[in-house]
Amino acid sequence: KDFLNIARPEEETLSDALKHQLMGKRYSRIQMQIMTYVIDSLDAYGYFRENIEDVAGHLHVKPEQVSVCLGILKKLEPAGVCAGSLQECLLLQLDRKAGDYEIEKQVVREYIELIGKNQLHVIAREMKLPVERIVQAKECIQALNPKPSRGYSNQETARYVTPDVVVMRMGTGFKVYINDAAYPALRVNRGYMDLLKGADQDKEVRHYLSEK
């Protein structure tokens, strides 16, 4: 049987695609926990709109750790994924294009609304450039993908079977990786732990907390 056809490629979700790209990489368990949280929090467009400090507080990690993990995810395919806004999504895509796109980047950063209104003469006057150059920039920007989730199925469709482990050929041997992204992050409620350790709790309360 052809095990490669467990599910059809068009049924892959964006979440699946991103998690598959992380498999086999040497990320710590905390990093995998953060990145899995971010991936599972993407909106319908493939954007990550949550506040970094809020995520750090929820996961009990430092904001810097969340920022690093978010930076890793923004380098995955499709280009523009995990951006916090349309402008960032387009800028991430322009950053990957070979060549000089500084004018296009400036248009995205400062004049994205005017592009939408087709006020190219205004942009040209502000940037002191020929209108023809702004037309060229507009065409380049419009060729980008404002919705990184495009082409991936939603959560209601069939999903790929997510492996518990991944076996990869390394030279003359094989290496087995645990797929941390396949498992949920489990934590003990700190409040319950503090109550359980309290010496003044009666026997019935301590028994209840131990059971939970």
Side-chain angles (χ1 to χ4, degrees):
K1 181 179 289 187
D2 186 359
F3 288 101
L4 294 178
N5 290 323
I6 295 175
R8 293 176 298 170
E10 63 266 27
E11 294 176 339
E12 184 180 33
T13 67
L14 178 60
S15 175
D16 289 329
L18 295 174
K19 290 176 181 178
H20 290 164
Q21 292 176 66
L22 297 176
M23 291 164 56
K25 303 294 178 61
R26 294 182 177 276
Y27 298 124
S28 69
R29 184 172 293 276
I30 293 297
Q31 286 179 313
M32 288 301 301
Q33 179 185 354
I34 296 171
M35 289 190 284
T36 299
Y37 178 92
V38 170
I39 291 172
D40 290 340
S41 301
L42 298 181
D43 67 12
Y45 283 78
Y47 293 176
F48 181 70
R49 302 185 186 273
E50 292 194 31
N51 182 277
I52 288 179
E53 285 73 19
D54 291 342
V55 175
H58 178 75
L59 298 177
H60 305 292
V61 298
K62 296 180 180 179
E64 293 78 12
Q65 292 175 288
V66 179
S67 296
V68 169
C69 291
L70 188 56
I72 293 172
L73 293 174
K74 288 178 180 179
K75 295 179 181 179
L76 300 181
E77 296 292 339
V81 73
C82 297
S85 65
L86 171 61
Q87 286 172 299
E88 185 182 13
C89 177
L90 300 177
L91 289 172
L92 287 171
Q93 295 175 61
L94 289 171
D95 283 339
R96 296 197 191 183
K97 294 176 68 69
D100 183 6
Y101 291 91
E102 289 305 314
I103 291 176
E104 284 77 7
K105 292 178 184 179
Q106 183 178 353
V107 171
V108 169
R109 284 192 297 264
E110 303 177 20
Y111 304 105
I112 191 68
E113 292 186 4
L114 294 181
I115 282 288
K117 297 177 181 178
N118 204 35
Q119 296 183 3
L120 307 187
H121 286 81
V122 177
I123 300 174
R125 184 174 65 248
E126 291 288 330
M127 296 184 65
K128 297 179 173 57
L129 291 171
V131 175
E132 292 76 17
R133 181 63 182 89
I134 304 304
V135 171
Q136 180 184 350
K138 176 186 176 182
E139 292 174 349
C140 174
I141 293 169
Q142 288 183 327
L144 302 175
N145 181 14
K147 187 178 179 181
S149 62
R150 181 181 296 161
Y152 294 91
S153 69
N154 57 35
Q155 297 295 329
E156 281 72 43
T157 59
R159 299 173 60 87
Y160 271 98
V161 175
T162 302
D164 295 326
V165 297
V166 179
V167 181
M168 301 181 67
R169 182 184 293 276
M170 305 290 288
T172 58
F174 295 89
K175 196 159 188 176
V176 178
Y177 295 94
I178 302 296
N179 181 16
D180 292 325
Y183 301 100
L186 301 179
R187 296 185 298 277
V188 176
N189 186 291
R190 188 180 301 275
Y192 283 166
M193 284 297 296
D194 291 340
L195 286 174
L196 185 59
K197 294 176 181 178
D200 58 341
Q201 297 295 343
D202 60 40
K203 184 177 180 181
E204 183 177 351
V205 174
R206 291 180 62 86
H207 177 74
Y208 172 80
L209 292 174
S210 296
E211 288 291 318
K212 299 302 180 182

